[in-house]
Amino acid sequence: MSRLSRVAPWLPFPKETTHEPVRVLVHRDTGALRALIARDRVANVFVDSLLTQNSSAVPAFPGALMLGFFEDDGVSLAAACWVGSNVVPIESTAEHARAFGRWMVEHWEPHASIFGPAEPTLAIMEVLQSAGITAQDIRANQPLLAISGPPLVAPNPALTVSESGQFSEILVAAAAMFEEEVGYSPFLGGEANYRRRVAWLISNGFSFSHGDEVGEVIFKADLGAVTSYATQVQGVWVNPERRGQGLSAGYMAAVVELARKHAPVTSLYVNDYNTKARACYERVGFEQVGTFATILF
């Protein structure tokens, strides 16, 4: 299988209609969706941030939609699921998630990933697998961590909000982080899209970095999701030449301090096997508040 096929698999499933209690949300569902997200604004920060930007249950992104699982004869919104380039279950049980998975099979489009709370994320993938849809990688145990106060170690003052003039250096570091994490270049699906994403993070003050005397990035991290209540840190990367020097804790403490200017709670999720990163986050003061999973296609 080529790397491109992993990003955009071609699976011609029929677009049939089921009698599941699942439908696409519309504008009038926005209030119910807000209430659902508010049950756990740390675990749901990704979708919460999108709703903050758009103020509607109808996504502004072309090709994206929000599914809802309704109970009480279609009256009560019990769970939801963002379906776009990524798929993200919201307040879903395994039962809800399997219904979302069946909807996805019937309306199949390629997705880059599924991520979110482990139980519903893995339940969606079980349904997809039963329909012959395979994944490149399944990361079933990713501790969701959060800190709601100042860090427990001194922040490195050299870490600052990235500036537009650093775009080229930040792009190189971001692409290296992505390829190291998922195994293929972020440019594979279109370089222009990834460049826009990095530029958007910088222009909105959501990219933090520190470079050496010639501008090469030593450390970077992003706020991939931001609300008034919580942020979610993504894209953490240390230049390979600077690893093993005990720099990570100070940099991550600085990330927390910078993130706290946006929201009181800072969160992230990490692969369970990344013991060095987990030890660093614990030292900084992060505590586990849940478990995520990620499916990569």
Side-chain angles (χ1 to χ4, degrees):
M1 179 184 291
S2 70
R3 292 199 184 275
L4 183 57
S5 66
R6 290 174 178 173
V7 178
W10 180 257
L11 295 168
F13 288 98
K15 298 182 181 293
E16 299 174 353
T17 301
T18 72
H19 299 287
E20 298 271 17
V22 173
R23 67 166 171 83
V24 176
L25 298 189
V26 296
H27 294 296
R28 68 175 181 270
D29 298 311
T30 302
L33 180 61
R34 287 188 191 279
L36 192 70
I37 288 171
R39 294 179 185 175
D40 189 339
R41 297 191 66 189
V42 174
N44 298 325
V45 65
F46 172 78
V47 177
D48 197 5
S49 68
L50 295 175
L51 189 58
T52 298
Q53 295 171 35
N54 190 42
S55 299
S56 176
V58 178
F61 296 92
L65 53 85
M66 188 76 74
L67 295 177
F69 186 106
F70 287 83
E71 296 176 340
D72 302 326
D73 295 326
V75 175
S76 301
L77 181 64
C81 187
W82 168 272
V83 180
S85 58
N86 301 301
V87 175
V88 185
I90 305 154
E91 295 301 302
S92 298
T93 64
E95 177 188 358
H96 300 143
R98 282 189 283 269
F100 292 139
R102 289 188 288 269
W103 189 98
M104 289 170 57
V105 168
E106 295 171 357
H107 304 79
W108 180 252
E109 298 289 345
H111 303 286
S113 70
I114 309 171
F115 68 87
E119 182 182 43
T121 296
L122 297 173
I124 290 173
M125 191 59 215
E126 288 175 6
V127 175
L128 300 188
Q129 285 179 321
S130 69
I133 300 170
T134 59
Q136 175 191 349
D137 191 11
I138 297 178
R139 301 177 182 183
N141 183 1
Q142 297 177 305
L144 173 64
L145 311 177
I147 180 172
S148 57
L152 301 182
V153 300
N156 186 333
L159 189 74
T160 59
V161 178
S162 303
E163 299 180 355
S164 59
Q166 299 173 277
F167 172 77
S168 295
E169 292 81 5
I170 298 296
L171 179 66
V172 170
M177 178 283 305
F178 186 99
E179 187 160 359
E180 185 175 340
E181 177 68 16
V182 303
Y184 57 82
S185 169
F187 301 147
L188 189 61
E191 182 174 347
N193 290 335
Y194 193 72
R195 291 175 67 91
R196 279 194 293 270
R197 173 62 177 172
V198 173
W200 184 88
L201 289 168
I202 294 173
S203 65
N204 283 276
F206 299 157
S207 170
F208 309 143
S209 62
H210 175 219
D212 61 17
E213 61 278 0
V214 296
E216 186 175 3
V217 174
I218 299 173
F219 176 93
K220 68 162 288 290
D222 309 316
L223 298 182
V226 178
T227 71
S228 61
Y229 180 81
T231 61
Q232 187 175 91
V233 179
Q234 298 176 351
V236 177
W237 183 81
V238 180
N239 191 307
E241 296 183 0
R242 301 299 186 103
R243 294 175 188 176
Q245 299 178 12
L247 301 175
S248 296
Y251 279 129
M252 283 306 303
V255 168
V256 172
E257 289 289 80
L258 291 168
R260 290 179 71 210
K261 296 179 180 180
H262 296 276
V265 178
T266 308
S267 70
L268 56 83
Y269 57 99
V270 59
N271 294 318
D272 64 322
Y273 52 78
N274 193 342
T275 54
K276 289 184 178 179
R278 292 180 65 181
C280 169
Y281 299 145
E282 182 177 357
R283 182 182 172 196
V284 172
F286 284 88
E287 297 180 348
Q288 185 167 356
V289 295
T291 302
F292 266 29
T294 298
I295 314 295
L296 298 172
F297 293 99

